[in-house]
Amino acid sequence: MTATSDLAPRRLRDIFGTFASGLTVITSSTPQGPAGFTCQSFASLSLEPALVTFSPARTSSTWPVLRDAGSFTVNILPAEHQHLAGQFARSGTDKFAGVSHTSSPLGNPILDDALAWIDCELHAEYDGGDHTIVVASVRHLSARMDAEPLLFFKGRYAGLSPARLLEAAS
């Protein structure tokens, strides 16, 4: 492995992409109707108090709408919802076209068959360069135990098949 000091955005994206992550769709009920966007940069932050974090791009036109709503739901996508990751990543379209959902306790859209959902209220925002670092207080949550996660690795969707093989070998 050769070290590099090449910090060009494409090189950073390639290197950072070697860290597999789950995919989420952040949704909210707004005065204009349901809104949402795909977000790869999601993580748990604290257990006490219960906090999560995610980082929308500063260029996002959807995040300001969700911020103004004050509450939102993080929908963790299962492997079978790859199409929703793509649908909610597109700008200028009706992202909820054909998407079944119910309302969370805070009134936000929970995507049908989400692997898990976490109902949140905005806690804080911080500067994160070309992204905003959002910290949210967890209010309600639920998960399915009968599905695998949708992962993103090296710029493509991935699953857990190799992990199952590793578990069987141990």
Side-chain angles (χ1 to χ4, degrees):
M1 193 177 312
T2 305
T4 180
S5 58
D6 177 5
L7 300 181
R10 179 75 250 170
R11 181 71 175 151
L12 289 169
R13 183 177 289 222
D14 290 345
I15 298 297
F16 294 166
T18 64
F19 182 74
S21 66
L23 286 162
T24 67
V25 172
I26 314 290
T27 59
S28 184
S29 182
T30 74
Q32 300 81 25
F37 65 96
T38 300
C39 186
Q40 174 188 351
S41 59
F42 165 78
S44 61
L45 182 61
S46 171
L47 297 178
E48 291 185 31
L51 299 172
V52 296
T53 184
F54 60 91
S55 299
R58 288 217 183 267
T59 58
S60 172
S61 58
T62 307
W63 169 241
V65 175
L66 274 64
R67 176 197 307 119
D68 290 347
S71 72
F72 36 84
T73 297
V74 177
N75 293 270
I76 299 173
L77 297 182
E80 67 267 19
H81 279 185
Q82 179 177 328
H83 66 287
L84 291 181
Q87 184 167 332
F88 279 87
R90 289 186 202 96
S91 295
T93 63
D94 178 2
K95 296 177 183 182
F96 279 86
V99 176
S100 298
H101 60 279
T102 57
S103 288
S104 73
L106 293 178
N108 299 308
I110 299 171
L111 304 181
D112 285 0
D113 299 321
L115 180 61
W117 58 267
I118 305 163
D119 222 7
C120 303
E121 292 178 330
L122 181 61
H123 177 76
E125 284 184 275
Y126 303 96
D127 180 15
D130 58 4
H131 283 66
T132 299
I133 301 166
V134 176
V135 176
S137 300
V138 175
R139 299 297 182 228
H140 309 276
L141 65 166
S142 185
R144 294 171 45 197
M145 297 301 160
D146 64 342
E148 298 287 336
L150 177 60
L151 301 177
F152 202 66
F153 178 67
K154 293 187 176 181
R156 299 192 314 201
Y157 298 114
L160 286 179
S161 295
R164 280 190 227 113
L165 295 174
L166 288 173
E167 288 173 8
S170 29

